[in-house]
């Protein structure tokens, strides 16, 4: 158990995170910060705190509109930013279309982190994921082990779920990873997909797998279309929690996440989704997996898409 975990953004994802951090007793104090009036964060914290006698935990919940509530946090999870929402004409924006708004928010978030918890390990969830993590890196200049984006954990969970459904097996039997950027170019790595240690092709035919991989790439948009307002929030929160638990308990779990590459996979100076080993120090290792030629090509395309958004970040100053 840590002393304190901070959450920035107390909307849909932040709310599930606060509740789950408390239920799983991952820190003695959970701080939630949100700018929304009259005091969304305080209200959510009070609501959760009033339920703690029912779940038997004495975790302290601190909510507020100012960044000072985060003081001393050892891990900070950033969910501040607008989510995707279905437009009146029924179309679904891309994550990249959130860039300008969420960059402005990210700069405020970075200032809050550097003032009140500069040593914290930062797990960022806001979209467009890879570009926002890059901006946090520009503003905070942390050691690369202490800044990580949550994307691959979620994309891989979606892939695993779809494969389990198609194969008619437990989700627990399916191992899978999705690499690259957290956009429509992400790359589900079929060559690493196993069911109880056996190649996925033994259970699911190639055509079905292609359909699953395409659905995985668009899975976020599918939820946006169904919800009508906002985007997925339970599975993103659970994915971030998987990473946070690996930090808190020093589990050294290998989880695909958005990390700074310095030569790995032939990429330099960009944050991209790759398998990472996560422990008490944050990202402790980047794992390089053997990819097929087609997967390598897909990864290259995805890196190019991440680079394009990062260039836009640069152009916005
Ligand atoms: N500091 C703190 N919180 C902020 C700030 C800020 N500067 N600016 C906005 N927020 C808050 C909003 O007030 C809102 O309550 O961030 C919260 C975001 O919550 P939701 O709108 O419910 O969005 P959510 O579904 O939680 O997604 C958050 O994660 O997955 C991504 O695309 C998603 O970028 C989005 C982010």
């Amino acid at each position: 158990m840590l002393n304190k975990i901070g959450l920035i953004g107390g909307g849909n994802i932040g709310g599930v995170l606060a509740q789950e951090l408390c239920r799983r007793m991952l820190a003695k104090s959970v701080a939630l910060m949100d700018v929304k009036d009259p005091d969304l964060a305080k209200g959510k914290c009070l609501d959760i705190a009033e339920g703690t006698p029912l779940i038997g935990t004495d975790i302290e919940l601190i909510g507020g509109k100012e960044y000072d509530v985060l003081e001393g946090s050892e891990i900070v999870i950033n969910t501040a930013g607008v989510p995707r929402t279905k437009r009146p004409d029924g179309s679904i924006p891309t994550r990249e279309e959130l860039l300008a708004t969420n960059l402005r928010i990210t700069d405020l978030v970075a200032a809050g982190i550097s003032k009140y918890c500069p040593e914290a390990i930062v797990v960022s969830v806001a979209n467009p994921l890879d570009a926002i993590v890059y901006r946090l890196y520009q503003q905070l200049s942390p050691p690369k082990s202490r800044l990580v984006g949550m994307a691959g954990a979620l994309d891989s969970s979606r892939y695993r779920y779809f494969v389990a459904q198609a194969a008619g097996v437990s989700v627990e039997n399916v191992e899978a990873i999705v690499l690259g950027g957290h956009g429509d170019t992400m790359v589900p790595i079929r060559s690493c997909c196993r069911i109880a240690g056996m190649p996925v092709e033994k259970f699911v035919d190639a055509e079905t797998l292609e359909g699953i991989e395409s659905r995985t790439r668009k899975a976020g948009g599918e939820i946006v279309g169904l919800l009508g307002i906002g985007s997925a929030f339970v599975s993103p929160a659970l994915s971030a929690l998987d990473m946070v638990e690996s930090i808190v308990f020093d589990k050294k779990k290998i989880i695909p996440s958005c990390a700074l590459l310095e030569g790995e996979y032939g990429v330099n100076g960009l944050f991209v989704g790759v398998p990472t080993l996560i422990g008490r120090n944050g990202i402790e290792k980047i794992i390089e997996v053997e990819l097929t030629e087609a997967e390598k090509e897909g990864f290259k395309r995805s890196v190019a898409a991440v680079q394009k958004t990062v260039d836009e970040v640069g152009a916005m100053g």
Side-chain angles (χ1 to χ4, degrees), residues 86-160:
K86 189 152 105 171
R87 297 191 185 98
D89 67 1
S91 64
I92 313 273
T94 63
R95 294 180 181 88
E96 287 68 21
E97 286 175 74
L98 308 173
L99 186 61
T101 307
N102 285 353
L103 269 190
R104 279 195 296 278
I105 294 174
T106 304
D107 288 349
L108 300 171
V109 166
I113 294 173
S114 41
K115 184 154 182 202
Y116 293 106
C117 46
E119 303 298 316
I121 296 174
V122 178
V123 179
S124 191
V125 178
N127 275 313
L129 191 281
D130 313 273
I132 295 293
V133 176
Y134 184 82
R135 179 62 146 224
L136 286 172
Y137 184 69
Q138 283 184 320
Q139 305 283 34
L140 297 171
S141 314
K144 62 176 188 173
S145 57
R146 290 218 304 262
L147 174 60
V148 59
M150 187 296 293
L154 171 61
D155 301 326
S156 307
S157 178
R158 287 172 167 157
Y159 189 24
R160 288 172 64 192

Side-chain angles (χ1 to χ4, degrees), residues 8-14 33-36 40 67 78-84 95 98 102 105-106 108-109 125-128 150 230-233 236:
I8 309 182
N12 281 335
I13 301 179
M33 184 273 162
D34 197 296
V35 290
K36 201 173 266 177
L40 176 80
Y67 289 98
N78 170 39
T79 69
V82 292
R84 290 195 284 171
R95 294 180 181 88
L98 308 173
N102 285 353
I105 294 174
T106 304
L108 300 171
V109 166
V125 178
N127 275 313
M150 187 296 293
S231 53
F233 56 97

Side-chain angles (χ1 to χ4, degrees), residues 240-260:
L241 284 159
D242 200 33
M243 298 166 72
V244 167
E245 281 195 339
S246 197
I247 297 170
V248 172
F249 300 119
D250 195 22
K251 284 169 84 168
K252 310 214 185 279
K253 195 164 178 181
I254 295 172
I255 302 174
S257 19
C258 177
L260 180 64

Side-chain angles (χ1 to χ4, degrees), residues 155-165 171-177 216:
D155 301 326
S156 307
S157 178
R158 287 172 167 157
Y159 189 24
R160 288 172 64 192
Y161 172 71
F162 298 146
V163 166
Q165 291 282 298
V171 290
E172 289 182 63
N173 280 143
V174 184
E175 256 197 341
I177 54 176
T216 300

Side-chain angles (χ1 to χ4, degrees), residues 84-88 92 221-231:
R84 290 195 284 171
T85 278
K86 189 152 105 171
R87 297 191 185 98
I92 313 273
E222 182 180 356
I223 304 255
V224 173
L226 291 167
L227 293 181
I229 292 181
S231 53

